[in-house]
């Protein structure tokens, strides 16, 4: 330890340079050199003196410790010398032991080497003997015998047996890692002969496989595969064969492409129809040839794979297919490669040969039939690929082009028959297609259906084109429809615009009828045509919709006129007290009969009588006339007994009035049933009326209640239209609205009856009108039902 004085000196910058653990000699010298020379000497001398003092202090203070440790050094030296003697003794003992073990080890090692050499020699002799034995068996074979070759079954058995011998010899040779067998003179000739036999067997196997695939002889193919398996080359042979088949298919398609390019050069010269037909025939022939080539190769590979799945290894009884890599995907990969080759070839043809492209598009349906035929045959051979990419997809671009051309052709046939659209009104009739024009469109549509009838998928696409064509025809007709004022008049003669619209309906109806005949006459794919042309809204229904929309304004005008005529019923007198029988027909009924007869004669006969949509609409109008007539008869007030007799006669006359527009009144439907049933209620007493079984069904309650109020109650109970403070015309429009329900019609009666009761109570009447209980009973029945 340093004293205080020493510590002070240690703080001197000169000495501090000597104290750090990372002492730097250069820095210390530099700090000393900065002082004058005399001071340098004094500083160094003082430092040396100080060190001496420190050493003396440390030595004096630790003297006992130094002596104690020095005495132990002698003890340590004695122990070290003893250990050295022991180590020398151990080394001598170890040398003696090594000498004792060395001799047995050398002897044992010699014996091991000798045994190993004997084992190799025995193994070599065993392999040699086995090779000699197998070669004798090979020599004894009858493979080279002509009679054996003539006997196919015997020959195949013999060559398979030879391949097994060759396989065993080959295995023995491969196990000879040091290549010692080839150094044995006694079997050198056998080994040379073995190589020759092996080559010969491979040649025979190649021949068997080639001939077997060409003739589809399962025995030859199976024998060849068994030989390849025995020669340990089955996997490579199968995969190489698939690659070779793909190459042949691609080569054949390339030739097709080259031939078509040559044909395209000929087509650059202006060609006749005959030359185009010859070119089409050539293209068909080339496509069919390539498809046949594809089918042959695919069928061969498929047959080979099926045999691999049946044949077994003779020793392990394992199926041969198990020795093939990617065995589960073998046929799929082959098929996908075929699809790739065909797609690439036809894609190239589509983009690089415009003339050939046009010919294929125009003849696409026949070319597609070849593709579908061969696809079906291929799937029959190998159902496993049914869900894979189809062969027809390889010519998908041609199909799209064919459909596009088909649509253009159909549109052109429609546009061609619509000429002079938008001319002077008096000449509009000339622009409406005639039946001959429609027949031309139908013929084009029929040709498209016939051309695609062999394939449901193609027909589906063609049907979509036909639907678009129908929509175009409907659109063109819709543009011709006249909306002028005289197109809906019902007072004078049939106008030019009405004649014009009726001719449009004739055209549409004839088009509709011919399309339906086209569907009916197509027995093969009738369901597909019905699905697209009948069931969808944008098909034949669009024709019906346009017919109806064209006819609707006119028939609505007729319906309005009939309403006006029937409303004049309220100008008639029905509170007749005379006992004289009224005339057979009311004035309004006579006018109605004359009007309907004139409409039927002068107007409805101008429309096609076989148009179902027109008939249906006329029947709807007839139903409306009956319903409107029933309502007005139930609103007549006051009515006497003779007045009801007059109404009864009007009911009979209405049936005769409707006959000109509806030959069979039963076609009118429920409205006519109600008319017939209601007629039987007219002359009944109030009690009989309420108890009649036909009230409620078929006759609605609201009609019976309206009639009861008008005929068998007091004037204080307001009629529905008077309760609403409406005119009869306005109330009739409200009542006849399509969205009006029975409850709404009855609610007015309830409110009117409640008002009557309130007024009766205010006037302190002792009793209600005489038939109140009957009316109340009818109202209660409506709540129950």
């Amino acid at each position: 330890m340093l004293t205080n004085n020493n510590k002070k000196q240690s703080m001197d910058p000169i000495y501090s340079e000597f104290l750090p653990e990372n002492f730097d000699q250069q820095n210390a010298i530099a700090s000393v050199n900065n002082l004058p020379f005399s001071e340098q000497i004094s500083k160094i001398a003082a430092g040396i003196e100080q060190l001496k003092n420190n050493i003396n202090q440390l030595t004096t203070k630790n003297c006992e410790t130094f002596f104690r440790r020095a005495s132990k050094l002698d003890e340590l030296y004695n122990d070290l010398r003893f250990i050295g003697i022991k180590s020398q003794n151990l080394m001598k003992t170890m040398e003696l032991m090594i000498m004792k073990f060395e001799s047995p080890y050398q002897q044992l090692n010699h014996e091991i080497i000798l045994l190993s050499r004997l084992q190799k020699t025995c193994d070599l002799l065993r392999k040699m003997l086995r090779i000699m034995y197998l070669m004798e068996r090979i020599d004894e074979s009858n493979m080279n015998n002509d009679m054996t070759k003539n006997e196919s079954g015997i020959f195949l058995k013999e060559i398979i047996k030879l391949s097994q011998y060759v396989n065993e010899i080959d295995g023995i040779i491969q196990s000879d890692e040091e290549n010692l067998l080839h150094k044995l003179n006694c079997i050198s000739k056998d080994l040379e002969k073995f190589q020759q036999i092996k080559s010969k067997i491979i040649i025979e196997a190649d021949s068997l496989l080639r001939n077997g695939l060409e003739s589809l002889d399962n025995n030859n193919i199976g024998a060849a595969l068994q030989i390849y398996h025995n020669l340990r080359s089955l996997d490579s042979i199968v995969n190489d064969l698939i690659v070779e088949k793909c190459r042949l298919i691609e080569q054949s398609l390339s030739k097709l492409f080259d031939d078509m390019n040559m044909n395209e050069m000929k087509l650059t010269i202006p060609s006749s129809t005959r030359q185009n037909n010859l070119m089409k025939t050539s293209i068909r022939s080339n496509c069919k040839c390539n498809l046949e080539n594809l089918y042959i190769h695919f069928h061969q590979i498929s047959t080979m794979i099926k045999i691999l799945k049946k044949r077994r290894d003779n020793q392990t009884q394992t199926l041969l297919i198990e020795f093939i890599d990617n065995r589960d995907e073998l046929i799929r990969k082959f098929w996908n490669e075929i699809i790739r080759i065909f797609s690439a070839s036809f894609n190239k043809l589509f983009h690089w040969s415009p003339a050939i492209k046009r010919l294929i598009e125009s003849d696409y349906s026949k070319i597609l039939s070849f593709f579908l035929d061969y696809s079906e045959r291929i799937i029959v051979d190998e159902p496993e690929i049914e869900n894979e990419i189809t062969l027809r997809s390889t010519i998908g671009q041609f199909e799209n082009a064919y459909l596009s051309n088909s649509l253009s052709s159909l549109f052109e046939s429609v546009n061609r028959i619509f000429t002079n659209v938008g001319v002077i009104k008096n000449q509009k009739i000339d622009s409406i297609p005639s039946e001959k024009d429609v027949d031309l469109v139908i013929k084009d549509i029929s040709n498209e259906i016939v051309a695609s009838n062999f394939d449901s998928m193609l027909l589906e696409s063609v049907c979509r084109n036909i639907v678009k064509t129908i929509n175009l025809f409907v659109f063109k007709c819709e543009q011709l429809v006249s909306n002028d004022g005289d197109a809906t008049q019902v007072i004078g003669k049939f106008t030019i615009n009405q004649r014009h619209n009726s001719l449009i309906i004739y055209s549409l109806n004839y088009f509709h009828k011919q399309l339906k005949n086209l569907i009916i006459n197509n027995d093969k794919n009738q369901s597909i045509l019905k699905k697209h042309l009948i069931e969808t809204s944008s098909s034949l229904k669009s024709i019906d919709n346009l017919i109806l929309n064209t006819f609707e304004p006119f028939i609505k005008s007729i319906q309005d006129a009939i309403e006006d005529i029937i409303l004049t019923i309220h100008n008639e007198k029905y509170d007749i007290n005379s006992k004289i029988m009224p005339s057979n027909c009311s004035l309004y009924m006579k006018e109605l009969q004359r009007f309907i007869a004139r409409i039927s004669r002068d107007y409805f006969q101008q429309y096609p009588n076989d148009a179902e949509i027109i008939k249906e609409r006329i029947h709807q109008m007839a139903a409306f006339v009956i319903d409107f007539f029933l309502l007005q008869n139930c609103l007549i007030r006051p009515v006497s007994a003779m007045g009801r007799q007059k109404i009864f006669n009007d009911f009979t006359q209405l049936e005769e009035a409707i006959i000109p527009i509806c030959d069979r009144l039963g076609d009118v439907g429920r409205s006519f049933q109600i008319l017939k049933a209601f007629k039987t209620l007219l002359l009944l007493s109030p009690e009989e009326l309420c108890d009649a079984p036909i009230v409620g069904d078929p006759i609605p309650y609201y009609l019976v209640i309206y009639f009861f109020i008008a005929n068998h109650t007091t004037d204080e109970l307001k009629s529905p239209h008077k309760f609403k403070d409406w005119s009869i015309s306005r109330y009739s429009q409200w009542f006849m609205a399509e969205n009006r329900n029975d409850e709404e019609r009855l609610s007015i009666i309830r409110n009117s009856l409640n008002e009557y009761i309130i007024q009766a109570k205010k006037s302190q009447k002792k009793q209600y009108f005489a038939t109140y209980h009957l009316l109340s009973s009818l109202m209660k029945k409506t709540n129950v039902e």
Side-chain angles (χ1 to χ4, degrees):
M1 294 180 64
L2 298 173
T3 62
N4 292 334
N5 187 38
N6 293 336
K7 289 181 180 180
K8 289 178 181 179
Q9 291 180 0
S10 66
M11 295 303 291
D12 192 312
I14 301 300
Y15 300 130
S16 62
E17 293 293 340
F18 295 89
L19 294 178
E21 293 181 1
N22 56 346
F23 170 69
D24 189 350
Q25 184 179 0
Q26 296 298 327
N27 290 338
I29 294 170
S31 63
V32 175
N33 287 337
N34 291 331
L35 299 175
F37 181 74
S38 59
E39 193 173 349
Q40 290 180 16
I41 297 299
S42 62
K43 287 281 185 184
I44 292 171
I48 292 172
E49 187 63 31
Q50 184 64 43
L51 285 174
K52 288 180 180 181
N53 293 335
N54 289 341
I55 291 171
N56 289 332
Q57 289 179 7
L58 290 172
T59 304
T60 304
K61 188 176 181 179
N62 299 301
C63 183
E64 293 180 2
T65 304
F66 290 156
F67 285 129
R68 189 169 53 254
R69 289 184 179 178
S71 63
K72 287 185 179 182
L73 285 175
D74 293 337
E75 295 176 5
L76 289 173
Y77 177 76
N78 292 331
D79 291 341
L80 182 61
R81 187 176 60 181
F82 178 75
I83 290 171
I85 294 170
K86 288 287 186 184
S87 298
Q88 290 177 1
N89 292 336
L90 285 173
M91 288 297 293
K92 290 178 181 179
T93 303
M94 187 177 68
E95 289 175 359
L96 290 174
M97 290 178 69
I98 289 173
M99 290 176 65
K100 287 182 179 182
F101 281 111
E102 181 69 22
S103 179
Y105 169 75
Q106 292 295 336
Q107 186 177 358
L108 180 61
N109 189 41
H110 177 73
E111 294 294 335
I112 290 172
I113 293 172
L114 180 62
L115 184 60
S116 175
R117 290 174 180 174
L118 286 173
Q119 185 180 4
K120 286 183 179 180
T121 303
C122 290
D123 185 55
L124 191 61
L125 288 171
R126 186 167 55 253
K127 291 177 179 178
M128 181 186 71
L129 291 173
R130 185 60 181 169
I131 290 173
M132 294 174 68
Y133 170 76
L134 292 173
M135 289 303 299
E136 287 179 4
R137 296 293 300 270
I138 291 173
D139 290 338
E140 293 173 0
S141 171
N142 294 325
M143 189 183 75
N144 295 323
N145 193 319
D146 292 336
M147 296 203 46
T148 302
K149 288 189 175 181
N150 292 333
E151 293 291 337
S152 175
I154 298 173
F155 176 74
L156 294 179
K157 288 181 180 179
E158 287 294 327
I159 195 169
I160 291 172
K161 190 186 296 181
L162 284 179
S163 68
Q164 291 174 341
Y165 296 154
V166 169
N167 179 41
E168 189 174 349
I169 294 173
D170 203 25
I172 293 171
I173 293 173
Q174 289 182 11
S175 66
D176 181 22
E177 296 178 356
E178 298 181 8
N179 202 22
L180 297 175
L181 287 171
H182 291 282
K183 297 177 182 180
L184 299 177
N185 294 328
C186 57
I187 60 169
S188 59
K189 291 184 179 180
D190 288 336
L191 293 178
E192 292 176 2
K193 188 176 181 181
F194 161 75
Q195 295 297 334
Q196 295 174 357
I197 292 172
K198 182 178 179 181
S199 299
K200 187 175 181 181
I201 289 175
I202 291 173
I203 292 171
E204 289 290 345
D206 291 343
S207 176
L208 282 174
L209 182 61
R210 182 174 59 257
N211 296 333
L213 290 174
E214 289 177 359
S215 61
L216 294 177
D217 187 330
N218 289 355
N219 291 329
N220 286 354
I221 297 172
L225 294 175
Q226 196 83 45
I227 293 168
Y228 288 129
H229 171 64
N230 290 338
L231 298 179
R232 305 177 188 180
S233 60
L234 180 61
D235 181 64
S236 61
I237 290 295
V238 170
N239 285 286
D240 290 346
L241 182 62
I242 290 175
V243 171
E244 176 64 15
K245 293 297 182 184
C246 291
R247 187 189 65 78
L248 291 174
I249 292 170
E250 188 168 13
Q251 185 178 354
S252 177
L253 278 172
S254 296
K255 185 176 182 302
L256 164 68
F257 185 74
D258 294 339
D259 290 345
M260 287 187 176
N261 278 338
M262 291 297 294
N263 289 334
E264 184 181 18
M265 292 175 64
K266 296 178 183 179
L267 287 174
T268 55
I269 305 172
S271 54
S272 62
T273 303
R274 181 175 177 277
Q275 187 177 357
N276 283 336
N277 291 335
L278 290 174
M279 291 296 181
K280 286 182 182 180
T281 304
S282 174
I283 292 171
R284 282 184 224 155
S285 176
N286 280 331
C287 287
K288 190 171 183 180
C289 179
N290 275 275
L291 288 168
E292 180 66 27
N293 182 53
L294 160 64
Y295 174 72
I296 291 171
H297 291 312
F298 185 88
H299 188 57
Q300 290 173 354
I301 295 296
S302 175
T303 302
M304 180 185 70
I305 292 174
K306 288 175 182 176
I307 293 172
L308 285 171
K309 291 179 179 179
K310 294 179 180 178
R311 287 267 185 167
R312 295 179 180 273
D313 177 66
N314 292 331
Q315 295 180 352
T316 63
Q317 295 303 306
T318 304
L319 292 172
L320 295 184
I321 191 67
E322 297 295 327
F323 297 94
I324 306 295
D325 294 337
N326 300 321
R327 51 189 171 273
D328 295 333
E329 300 294 326
L330 207 59
I331 195 68
R332 287 194 185 94
K333 285 186 176 180
F334 178 52
W335 178 250
N336 289 333
E337 183 62 18
I338 290 173
I339 295 297
R340 185 196 65 77
I341 293 169
F342 265 72
S343 297
S345 297
F346 280 95
N347 183 57
K348 187 178 179 183
L349 190 64
F350 183 85
H351 290 98
W352 288 11
S353 304
I356 299 298
K357 172 178 171 286
R358 287 193 298 272
L359 289 176
I360 292 179
E361 288 169 6
S362 63
D363 203 33
Y364 174 77
S365 58
K366 293 181 180 178
I367 292 174
L368 177 62
S369 66
F370 296 152
F371 275 75
L372 295 178
D373 179 49
Y374 281 97
S375 292
E376 187 176 349
R377 291 167 63 183
I378 287 170
I379 290 172
V380 169
D381 276 354
E382 199 60 60
E384 187 179 344
I385 67 163
E386 186 172 4
N387 297 325
E388 298 297 316
I389 301 174
T390 58
L391 189 59
R392 75 179 293 164
S393 66
T394 61
I395 53 172
Q397 294 185 87
F398 289 99
E399 180 167 328
N400 294 334
Y402 169 78
L403 292 172
S404 178
N405 292 339
S406 168
L407 182 61
S408 298
S409 175
L410 290 173
F411 275 14
E412 177 61 27
S413 68
V414 172
N415 290 325
R416 190 169 52 245
I417 64 174
F418 283 91
T419 56
N420 301 323
V421 177
V423 297
I424 301 173
K425 179 172 68 176
N426 293 338
Q427 296 178 350
K428 264 187 174 180
I429 292 175
D430 296 335
S431 65
I432 299 173
S434 64
E435 290 187 359
K436 289 183 178 180
D437 294 331
V438 173
D439 285 337
L440 292 175
V441 177
I442 293 295
K443 182 180 178 181
D444 290 336
I445 292 175
S446 176
N447 290 338
E448 294 295 331
I449 293 174
V450 171
S452 58
N453 226 1
F454 65 93
D455 176 51
S456 59
M457 286 181 62
L458 183 62
L459 183 59
E460 291 261 2
S461 300
V462 168
C463 282
R464 285 189 281 270
N465 284 350
I466 294 173
V467 169
K468 293 175 183 177
T469 305
I470 293 172
N471 292 336
L472 178 63
F473 185 92
V474 171
F475 174 74
K476 292 285 188 181
C477 288
E478 188 176 10
Q479 287 184 316
L480 298 176
V481 174
S482 174
N483 296 316
D484 295 344
D486 61 347
T488 57
Q489 67 84 33
V490 292
I491 298 173
K493 293 183 180 180
F494 207 56
T495 66
I496 292 177
N497 282 312
Q498 287 174 327
R499 173 67 176 165
H500 176 79
N501 286 349
S502 71
L503 289 177
I504 292 174
I505 291 176
Y506 260 106
S507 258
L508 288 166
N509 181 64
Y510 184 72
F511 188 48
H512 185 285
K513 184 170 62 176
Q514 292 299 90
L515 285 170
K516 287 192 75 172
N517 290 336
L518 201 61
I519 296 169
I520 293 170
N521 294 332
N522 192 307
D523 297 328
K524 187 175 181 181
N525 290 302
Q526 196 174 100
S527 60
I528 295 175
L529 294 176
K530 282 184 177 180
K531 172 186 171 184
H532 288 276
L533 305 185
I534 294 180
E535 295 174 6
T536 59
S537 58
S538 59
S539 53
L540 295 186
K541 291 181 182 179
S542 65
I543 300 177
D544 286 340
N545 290 337
L546 182 57
I547 291 174
L548 188 59
N549 292 338
T550 305
F551 186 61
E552 183 63 26
F554 172 62
I555 199 168
K556 190 68 173 62
S557 180
I558 294 173
Q559 192 169 292
D560 292 342
I562 291 175
E563 281 186 37
D564 293 339
I565 293 172
I566 294 177
L567 282 173
T568 60
I569 191 174
H570 299 284
N571 298 331
E572 300 278 343
K573 295 292 184 181
Y574 290 97
D575 55 344
I576 306 170
N577 293 322
S578 173
K579 294 183 179 180
I580 302 173
M581 179 67 69
S583 61
N584 290 334
C585 188
S586 301
L587 293 177
Y588 85 93
M589 184 57 67
K590 289 180 181 178
E591 184 181 356
L592 180 64
Q593 287 177 343
R594 285 195 299 271
F595 180 77
I596 293 177
R598 183 175 66 82
I599 289 296
S600 175
R601 181 185 66 252
D602 297 343
Y603 292 94
F604 287 165
Q605 288 184 5
Q606 305 298 324
Y607 292 91
N609 56 10
D610 58 348
E612 295 296 329
I613 193 73
I614 295 290
K615 283 185 179 180
E616 185 180 342
R617 183 63 186 90
I618 292 173
H619 291 163
Q620 288 177 3
M621 186 192 73
F624 176 86
V625 170
I626 292 174
D627 293 340
F628 196 80
F629 171 80
L630 288 171
L631 173 64
Q632 301 311 317
N633 276 279
C634 291
L635 295 177
I636 297 172
R637 199 173 187 181
V639 184
S640 64
M642 292 303 293
R644 282 193 289 278
Q645 182 64 52
K646 183 178 179 181
I647 291 174
F648 184 87
N649 294 338
D650 289 342
F651 269 69
T652 303
Q653 293 299 323
L654 181 66
E655 293 180 27
E656 295 180 4
I658 294 173
I659 288 176
I661 61 173
C662 187
D663 295 336
R664 295 188 305 172
L665 293 176
D667 292 339
V668 177
R670 188 168 181 268
S671 296
F672 180 69
Q673 294 177 3
I674 294 173
L675 178 71
K676 297 290 287 184
F678 202 94
K679 185 178 178 182
T680 62
L681 300 180
L682 294 175
L683 304 179
L684 297 180
S685 66
E687 291 79 5
E688 291 172 331
L689 177 66
C690 292
D691 294 335
I694 58 177
V695 175
D697 186 24
I699 306 174
Y701 279 109
Y702 61 80
L703 273 183
V704 177
I705 292 171
Y706 278 28
F707 179 78
F708 190 93
I709 291 172
N711 289 267
H712 303 296
T713 63
T714 178
D715 292 340
E716 294 176 357
L717 178 61
K718 293 181 180 180
S719 296
H721 63 281
K722 288 187 177 180
F723 175 76
K724 296 285 286 185
D725 198 19
W726 288 350
S727 66
I728 291 179
S729 174
R730 181 183 176 187
Y731 182 77
S732 298
Q733 289 180 359
W734 176 88
F735 184 90
M736 297 298 291
E738 291 183 1
N739 58 352
R740 197 71 57 222
N741 56 46
D742 293 356
E743 182 57 33
E744 290 178 304
R745 292 162 178 161
L746 286 167
S747 65
I748 296 177
I749 301 300
R750 291 192 184 95
N751 294 335
S752 178
L753 188 58
N754 289 336
E755 184 181 305
Y756 166 77
I757 294 171
I758 292 170
Q759 293 298 328
K761 289 180 179 179
K762 284 184 178 180
S763 59
Q764 297 181 349
K765 287 188 177 181
K766 294 183 179 179
Q767 62 182 10
Y768 301 137
F769 56 85
T771 58
Y772 173 80
H773 66 288
L774 296 175
L775 177 61
S776 178
S777 174
L778 277 175
M779 297 295 291
K780 288 179 181 178
K781 287 182 180 179
T782 63
N783 292 330
V784 172
E785 298 197 8

